[in-house]
Amino acid sequence: MEQPLAKITALPQGFQARFERYYNQQPAELWDMLTNNEKLSLWFNELSVQELKIGGSIFFDMQDGTHEKMEILDCIPGQVLEYAWGSDSVRFELAEVAGGSKLVLVEKLHEITAHTPKDLAGWHVCLDAIKCILEHRQLESRMDIWKVKYEQYVQLLEPYLPEPM
């Protein structure tokens, strides 16, 4: 089943992209996917948790021998993980619902740039990958899915994107 695109909302200080997903697993299993480096590497191998606490850090491997250190802004074990994402932030919220869990991913954006559709397509594919991993299914070509989602996010964000130079 194809998942809906993120909902984009204009805020007084930028924008918010909100993804909402449902999983058959309990929040503890999803939390493990977000915070256990072995499981995190299955769906986002550039990320690694260094210190899981407010003020702790997550490293982003830039694939060029360097790492970007991202501060953990909020952490409630099993429920909330929020960290800096460049000048923006990414927040995961988990809640138990009948039959499993609800995961809400909110990316707070200071501005929408030409790179924003790429990030949102990436998060979209990552959330699909988490579901496939938890259900022991193979995800189709991540790059092929990303290309389709990227075009959809370009269209969704078109009113907010800067004019080409």
Side-chain angles (χ1 to χ4, degrees):
M1 179 176 160
E2 189 164 326
Q3 296 295 324
L5 297 178
K7 181 179 179 193
I8 309 301
T9 306
L11 303 173
Q13 304 272 318
F15 298 87
Q16 170 181 289
R18 185 177 196 275
F19 298 85
E20 192 172 297
R21 298 289 188 272
Y22 293 88
Y23 299 86
N24 295 325
Q25 293 73 22
Q26 293 301 303
E29 288 182 74
L30 285 168
W31 181 255
D32 212 25
M33 294 295 291
L34 300 175
T35 60
N36 175 317
N37 286 331
E38 187 176 312
K39 294 184 179 179
L40 180 58
S41 71
L42 297 174
W43 63 274
F44 203 144
N45 66 347
E46 293 87 2
L47 291 183
S48 62
V49 176
Q50 301 302 304
E51 292 177 89
L52 187 59
K53 64 179 186 175
I54 296 174
S57 59
I58 294 178
F59 283 1
F60 188 102
D61 183 345
M62 301 301 287
Q63 306 293 302
D64 62 3
T66 64
H67 292 82
E68 183 176 334
K69 182 178 179 180
M70 302 180 299
E71 182 181 357
I72 295 177
L73 306 171
D74 197 0
C75 181
I76 303 170
Q79 298 175 20
V80 174
L81 178 62
E82 181 176 4
Y83 48 89
W85 188 257
S87 61
D88 301 324
S89 67
V90 175
R91 180 179 180 90
F92 294 88
E93 298 175 358
L94 303 172
E96 187 171 345
V97 296
S101 301
K102 175 180 167 181
L103 181 150
V104 174
L105 166 58
V106 174
E107 184 171 1
K108 293 179 187 166
L109 307 156
H110 286 88
E111 63 181 336
I112 291 179
T113 68
H115 190 77
T116 304
K118 295 177 183 179
D119 273 352
L120 296 182
W123 284 122
H124 196 108
V125 172
C126 283
L127 295 174
D128 288 351
I130 291 171
K131 186 169 189 69
C132 286
I133 292 163
L134 289 170
E135 294 177 356
H136 308 287
R137 292 187 293 116
Q138 190 69 20
L139 185 63
E140 300 171 35
S141 167
R142 288 174 83 151
M143 184 51 76
D144 288 348
I145 296 169
W146 181 89
K147 287 176 185 176
V148 170
K149 294 301 170 192
Y150 169 72
E151 291 301 328
Q152 292 174 347
Y153 280 107
V154 167
Q155 289 179 1
L156 179 68
L157 296 173
E158 191 172 18
Y160 308 111
L161 287 170
E163 291 295 321
M165 297 279 201

